[in-house]
Amino acid sequence: PQGQANKWIKNLEKANNLQVIKLSEGGEYLRTLENAIQFGLPVLLENVGEELDPSLEPLLLKQIFKQGGVNCIRLGDSTIEYSSGFRFYVTTKLRNPHYLPEIAVKVTLLNFMITPAGLSDQMLGVAVATERPDLEEQKASLVVQSAENNRKLKEIEDKILEV
């Protein structure tokens, strides 16, 4: 179950050139993060423990400021341009992490714990994909189409409310 979130995020951001980093990469992950922030690329920080690197603090608090009419953020000892398209995902392999309240208020926590109904759906999906790949492909396209239709409906509702 711990890999579910990573798989879901990678699939979600596949078309947007997702950058995957780990805290174990030393200073290299900060360079990748800076580039992603500047160019508006999504970033997935994998396998964190219960404590986060203090250099990520300004990013988690969204301490964005204007400098010369451009949004900027201070990361480590450098000030970089902040693109509004930037998205930051953090995942852990810990089964039941307990984050300090200081961290919990800075982020949105999602629990990807699998339920019996979800496991049953996954197993059925695997069985159908093995037996009838055409049906599984059709189901996947219907799910994507349904999500797209829901997004369009939300946009239309928002436009109606604006008027």
Side-chain angles (χ1 to χ4, degrees):
Q2 286 82 1
Q4 290 284 352
N6 285 358
K7 187 176 175 184
W8 182 79
I9 292 167
K10 286 176 181 175
N11 195 31
L12 175 74
E13 297 290 356
K14 185 172 24 179
N16 299 324
N17 192 16
L18 176 71
Q19 305 293 305
V20 180
I21 57 175
K22 293 180 174 74
L23 287 175
S24 60
E25 292 174 359
E28 186 63 36
Y29 83 90
L30 268 177
R31 254 189 307 284
T32 306
L33 189 58
E34 286 176 6
N35 287 335
I37 291 170
Q38 287 176 327
F39 297 113
L41 300 173
V43 173
L44 170 59
L45 176 59
E46 290 184 319
N47 308 335
V48 298
E50 290 188 348
E51 291 185 21
L52 293 174
D53 188 346
S55 63
L56 298 174
E57 192 91 3
L59 193 58
L60 297 177
L61 291 171
K62 284 199 166 183
Q63 294 177 336
I64 301 164
F65 57 92
K66 286 222 186 250
Q67 184 175 8
V70 178
N71 285 335
C72 294
I73 192 165
R74 191 148 180 77
L75 197 62
D77 54 355
S78 58
T79 301
I80 53 174
E81 194 175 318
Y82 184 88
S83 170
S84 61
F86 172 73
R87 284 178 306 288
F88 190 49
Y89 303 96
V90 181
T91 62
T92 182
K93 281 197 171 184
L94 300 174
R95 293 179 63 91
N96 193 13
H98 296 286
Y99 290 104
L100 296 171
E102 297 85 49
I103 293 176
V105 297
K106 297 173 195 165
V107 298
T108 302
L109 294 173
L110 292 177
N111 187 348
F112 275 80
M113 183 65 93
I114 196 158
T115 62
L119 184 59
S120 144
D121 283 349
Q122 280 188 357
M123 295 306 294
L124 182 61
V126 169
V128 170
T130 305
E131 298 291 321
R132 296 276 310 272
D134 57 318
L135 285 179
E136 183 61 21
E137 200 174 295
Q138 185 180 6
K139 178 189 172 242
S141 71
L142 287 172
V143 167
V144 169
Q145 186 179 4
S146 173
E148 181 66 24
N149 289 340
N150 286 336
R151 186 185 63 77
K152 285 179 183 174
L153 177 65
K154 175 93 173 91
E155 283 178 8
I156 291 168
E157 287 174 347
D158 288 346
K159 283 182 183 175
I160 289 171
L161 288 175
E162 278 180 28
V163 176

